[in-house]
Amino acid sequence: MRKLVVTHYENKILQATIHDGKVTDLNLSENDTVLGNIYVGKVANIVDNINACFIDYGDKLPCYYSLDDNDIIYADGKEHTKLRIGDDVVVQISRDAVKTKNPVGSSELTIRGEYSVVHTGNQIGISGKISSRKLRDDLKKLAKETLPDNMGCIIRTNAAGAEHDVIKRELNDLAGRLEQILKAATTRKCFSCLFRNPPEYIENITLIGSQKIDEFVTDDPDIFNVFNEYSGKKGLCDINAVLYSNDNCPLSAIYNLKKEVEGALKERVWLKSGAYLIIQQTEAMVVVDVNTGKSVSGKDMSQHILKVNTEAAVETCRQLRLRNLSGIIVIDFINMKNPDDIYKIRDVLIKELADDPVPAKYVDITKLGLIELTRKKLKRPLHEMLI
């Protein structure tokens, strides 16, 4: 059974995915995040030497907007020869403010669904986790035939098990909503919010896939009502919604969430075998070092090391999800005498990463016997969410 538990932690909303009694994902979000929202903004400043500008959208900090990476969408719907300070443009917040860095804005407007992400532009992509060539071709053809010429999409992994009619309905719905947003921009005042992204706990349902969640549990009546409204619109009758209420035993204590968050912030992670992981995040990459620690071998040392490394591989994948780690990840497993054993460990990593809703790829063995992979950055690391 897989549950999505939503509660409060240090003035933030904590979301935890629990699969068969074990926490597999953690996420913290602000109550008032602007991530994913679409606004009519005003160009506040143009910085020629970095070919970028800053757009005021009504919040505290203007968003950074790269002119190299974006095609400007003017709010009046007309063509302009040159971007000027004071111009009204349509912008979506693609990255939250981090420490002293401004939020980042994008002209590629996107709306997420359970099976697809529809965006402005005409590119169509298919999730790399959908391996069937025929299915990939069929889904690409379906998207091309469904979407208007000025829109594209990314077909998500969840689409692999969905009926094509269901995917088509979602594509039409999301494309229609984007068209309405662009049309509304021509009549709305500056700083108007044209689209407000659903709360992150709702986003998590679409990321994981509603068919993979059996129960939604929260101790907040407002969150419970938002979920019921969402599930009513989407027809998610298979997800059991529970409003937990017990003053003597908080929801976070039932699932030991405080300990899970604190453990996901520590550098050292102990394994049942007595071995442990050291997880360090640098500017360039994430490094995971596997150590034998207190583990005791039996008669066959090589089998013992293989068993410890296998356990470490499974826990490493779990920790990547718990901590929201991304980018280049290098893992140094305990040296094994049998050269073929490292390939067994690689296969364990590939299997575990296949269940990760965040795309991970390029699981390779280096010349030094290390294993490296990349994990896509969709959210900030857990430790940054607590700042």
Side-chain angles (χ1 to χ4, degrees), residues 45-107:
N45 189 22
I46 299 174
V47 188
D48 291 327
N49 61 336
I50 59 172
N51 201 26
C53 67
F54 288 88
I55 298 174
D56 186 358
Y57 59 96
D59 203 54
K60 298 176 184 177
L61 288 173
C63 66
Y64 169 83
Y65 187 92
S66 170
L67 297 176
D68 288 326
D69 301 331
N70 290 291
D71 296 322
I72 301 162
I73 301 176
Y74 291 95
D76 59 13
K78 300 177 181 178
E79 290 187 7
H80 292 239
T81 56
K82 185 180 180 180
L83 182 70
R84 303 176 189 277
I85 293 175
D87 282 344
D88 290 349
V89 298
V90 181
V91 62
Q92 183 168 35
I93 307 304
S94 60
R95 188 179 301 173
D96 260 330
V98 179
K99 297 180 183 177
T100 59
K101 292 184 178 179
N102 292 52
V104 177
S106 173
S107 66

Side-chain angles (χ1 to χ4, degrees), residues 1-212:
M1 175 181 250
R2 186 179 268 119
K3 299 180 182 182
L4 181 60
V5 178
V6 183
T7 185
H8 293 272
Y9 182 91
E10 295 188 2
N11 299 320
K12 291 181 170 61
I13 297 176
L14 171 64
Q15 305 127 62
T17 306
I18 300 170
H19 189 201
D20 294 337
K22 195 167 188 177
V23 178
T24 59
D25 298 87
L26 291 171
N27 189 59
L28 286 163
S29 60
E30 303 284 353
N31 288 312
D32 56 351
T33 179
V34 297
L35 185 66
N37 292 356
I38 300 175
Y39 297 91
V40 176
K42 186 178 291 291
V43 178
N45 189 22
I46 299 174
V47 188
D48 291 327
N49 61 336
I50 59 172
N51 201 26
C53 67
F54 288 88
I55 298 174
D56 186 358
Y57 59 96
D59 203 54
K60 298 176 184 177
L61 288 173
C63 66
Y64 169 83
Y65 187 92
S66 170
L67 297 176
D68 288 326
D69 301 331
N70 290 291
D71 296 322
I72 301 162
I73 301 176
Y74 291 95
D76 59 13
K78 300 177 181 178
E79 290 187 7
H80 292 239
T81 56
K82 185 180 180 180
L83 182 70
R84 303 176 189 277
I85 293 175
D87 282 344
D88 290 349
V89 298
V90 181
V91 62
Q92 183 168 35
I93 307 304
S94 60
R95 188 179 301 173
D96 260 330
V98 179
K99 297 180 183 177
T100 59
K101 292 184 178 179
N102 292 52
V104 177
S106 173
S107 66
E108 187 178 89
L109 310 183
T110 65
I111 300 183
R112 298 177 182 274
E114 186 165 343
Y115 308 109
S116 62
V117 179
V118 173
H119 55 76
T120 52
N122 54 15
Q123 291 185 336
I124 295 175
I126 310 292
S127 167
K129 290 188 177 182
I130 299 178
S131 56
S132 168
R133 173 52 58 186
K134 183 179 185 306
L135 180 57
R136 292 176 68 85
D137 291 342
D138 289 346
L139 290 171
K140 195 167 187 177
K141 181 180 178 183
L142 174 69
K144 282 184 176 179
E145 292 175 348
T146 305
L147 294 172
D149 292 338
N150 63 334
M151 291 187 190
C153 73
I154 298 172
I155 301 296
R156 308 178 77 160
T157 308
N158 298 333
E163 297 290 335
H164 283 197
D165 286 345
V166 174
I167 300 170
K168 186 173 182 177
R169 279 199 301 272
E170 182 180 89
L171 288 171
N172 278 320
D173 174 57
L174 297 178
R177 289 164 67 187
L178 259 184
E179 286 179 334
Q180 289 175 1
I181 288 169
L182 290 169
K183 185 177 180 180
T186 61
T187 59
R188 299 286 292 276
K189 294 180 180 178
C190 188
F191 308 144
S192 295
C193 183
L194 303 172
F195 169 77
R196 195 168 298 280
N197 208 39
E200 281 202 53
Y201 51 88
I202 298 297
E203 283 277 284
N204 276 346
I205 295 172
T206 62
L207 182 64
I208 298 167
S210 62
Q211 72 276 11
K212 295 181 180 179

Side-chain angles (χ1 to χ4, degrees), residues 128-376:
K129 290 188 177 182
I130 299 178
S131 56
S132 168
R133 173 52 58 186
K134 183 179 185 306
L135 180 57
R136 292 176 68 85
D137 291 342
D138 289 346
L139 290 171
K140 195 167 187 177
K141 181 180 178 183
L142 174 69
K144 282 184 176 179
E145 292 175 348
T146 305
L147 294 172
D149 292 338
N150 63 334
M151 291 187 190
C153 73
I154 298 172
I155 301 296
R156 308 178 77 160
T157 308
N158 298 333
E163 297 290 335
H164 283 197
D165 286 345
V166 174
I167 300 170
K168 186 173 182 177
R169 279 199 301 272
E170 182 180 89
L171 288 171
N172 278 320
D173 174 57
L174 297 178
R177 289 164 67 187
L178 259 184
E179 286 179 334
Q180 289 175 1
I181 288 169
L182 290 169
K183 185 177 180 180
T186 61
T187 59
R188 299 286 292 276
K189 294 180 180 178
C190 188
F191 308 144
S192 295
C193 183
L194 303 172
F195 169 77
R196 195 168 298 280
N197 208 39
E200 281 202 53
Y201 51 88
I202 298 297
E203 283 277 284
N204 276 346
I205 295 172
T206 62
L207 182 64
I208 298 167
S210 62
Q211 72 276 11
K212 295 181 180 179
I213 298 175
D214 303 295
E215 196 167 80
F216 180 90
V217 185
T218 184
D219 53 3
D220 185 316
D222 291 335
I223 291 175
F224 182 76
N225 291 334
V226 169
F227 171 79
N228 279 335
E229 182 181 351
Y230 170 80
S231 62
K233 290 179 181 178
K234 297 293 183 179
L236 305 181
C237 54
D238 293 335
I239 300 179
N240 181 37
V242 177
L243 178 59
Y244 179 85
S245 179
N246 188 335
D247 294 335
N248 296 322
C249 186
L251 183 61
S252 58
I254 292 288
Y255 297 103
N256 213 10
L257 297 182
K258 183 178 180 181
K259 184 178 178 181
E260 290 288 350
V261 172
E262 290 173 349
L265 298 174
K266 292 179 179 178
E267 190 175 86
R268 181 171 299 194
V269 180
W270 285 98
L271 307 177
K272 287 183 178 180
S273 64
Y276 62 90
L277 310 176
I278 295 292
I279 302 175
Q280 295 179 328
Q281 185 171 17
T282 69
E283 287 292 329
M285 65 182 71
V286 175
V287 179
V288 182
D289 185 32
V290 183
N291 296 271
T292 53
K294 301 175 184 178
S295 64
V296 179
S297 65
K299 293 181 180 179
D300 192 335
M301 186 65 175
S302 62
Q303 283 301 309
H304 173 72
I305 296 301
L306 176 61
K307 184 178 179 181
V308 170
N309 278 339
T310 300
E311 182 188 16
V314 173
E315 184 61 25
T316 295
C317 293
R318 177 173 174 263
Q319 290 295 324
L320 295 180
R321 294 172 65 167
L322 288 176
R323 299 168 187 244
N324 297 317
L325 298 177
S326 58
I328 300 172
I329 296 156
V330 177
I331 312 166
D332 184 8
F333 288 96
I334 302 168
N335 291 334
M336 294 175 285
K337 290 183 178 180
N338 186 346
D340 292 334
D341 285 349
I342 191 65
Y343 293 97
K344 295 178 182 178
I345 299 302
R346 182 196 61 181
D347 292 342
V348 171
L349 285 169
I350 292 172
K351 181 182 177 182
E352 292 297 317
L353 291 168
D355 194 46
D356 189 343
V358 177
K361 55 185 179 179
Y362 304 125
V363 185
D364 293 322
I365 302 169
T366 71
K367 292 180 180 180
L368 295 175
L370 309 174
I371 292 185
E372 61 179 2
L373 59 100
T374 61
R375 189 170 185 264
K376 188 174 182 180

